[in-house]
Each structure stands twice: as C-alpha cells, then as structure tokens.
C-alpha cells in the first residue's frame, strides 16, 4: 500500500492565520475521516451496515502530519505503508 499526502488550506476561520481551534479541528477531522472511510469502503466493495474491517480502517486512516505557517494549512497523510491485502 502506498500512502498519499494532502494539504488543506483553511480560510475564514475566526482565529489568527496559522491557527485552528480544537473544536474546529475535532469537527473537521471527524468529517474528513468519515469521508475517507466511506470512500475506502466503496472502493473495496464493503459498503453497507456494520463496522469496517481492520484492513479498511488502516487503509483509510488519516493522520495529521503538520500545521503550516501563514494561512492555516493542515498537512495530512492517508493510508498505511504496512497494510497489504
């Protein structure tokens, strides 16, 4: 499995550039993780009710790798190098 790296630039926050509130990061993180899991389940043909398999969970896991200076930029990685089918 390869991993993918993404940067997400946030605008219009009510905090200084380069910052994000814990409330906002929590809500944003939960929404992004849910979307990544749904996409992984759809690609793997594991749509429907019930928990995702451990494989899907590892495959779709998002991890924050950095917070950029200037405007608020979240750097993240998705996937798990060690996960194989």
């Amino acid at each position: 499995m390869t991993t993918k790296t993404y940067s997400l630039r946030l605008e219009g926050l009510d905090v200084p550039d380069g910052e994000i509130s814990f409330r906002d990061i929590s809500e944003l993180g939960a929404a992004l993780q849910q979307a990544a899991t749904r996409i992984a389940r759809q690609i793997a043909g594991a749509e429907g009710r019930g928990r995702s398999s451990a494989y899907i969970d590892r495959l779709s896991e998002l991890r924050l790798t950095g917070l950029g200076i200037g405007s608020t930029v979240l750097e993240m990685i998705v996937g798990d190098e060690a996960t194989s089918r």
Side-chain angles (χ1 to χ4, degrees):
M1 164 68 196
T2 59
T3 58
K4 297 279 186 178
T5 303
Y6 297 94
S7 291
L8 180 63
R9 182 176 308 275
L10 305 176
E11 297 178 355
L13 299 176
D14 292 332
V15 293
D17 284 347
E19 297 181 9
I20 186 169
S21 72
F22 278 100
R23 177 177 293 115
D24 287 343
I25 193 71
S26 174
E27 292 173 2
L28 179 61
L32 289 170
Q33 185 59 67
Q34 184 178 40
T37 301
R38 286 182 177 176
I39 291 167
R41 287 181 70 156
Q42 183 178 23
I43 291 170
E47 298 173 85
R49 301 181 100 163
R51 279 188 56 86
S52 297
S53 67
Y55 171 75
I56 296 293
D57 285 344
R58 285 189 310 275
L59 183 70
S60 63
E61 181 182 51
L62 292 172
R63 295 180 308 282
L64 184 63
T65 59
L67 181 64
I69 59 173
S71 57
T72 305
V73 177
L74 303 179
E75 297 169 3
M76 64 194 94
I77 192 168
V78 63
D80 180 7
E81 277 292 331
T83 302
S84 61
R85 196 151 219 213

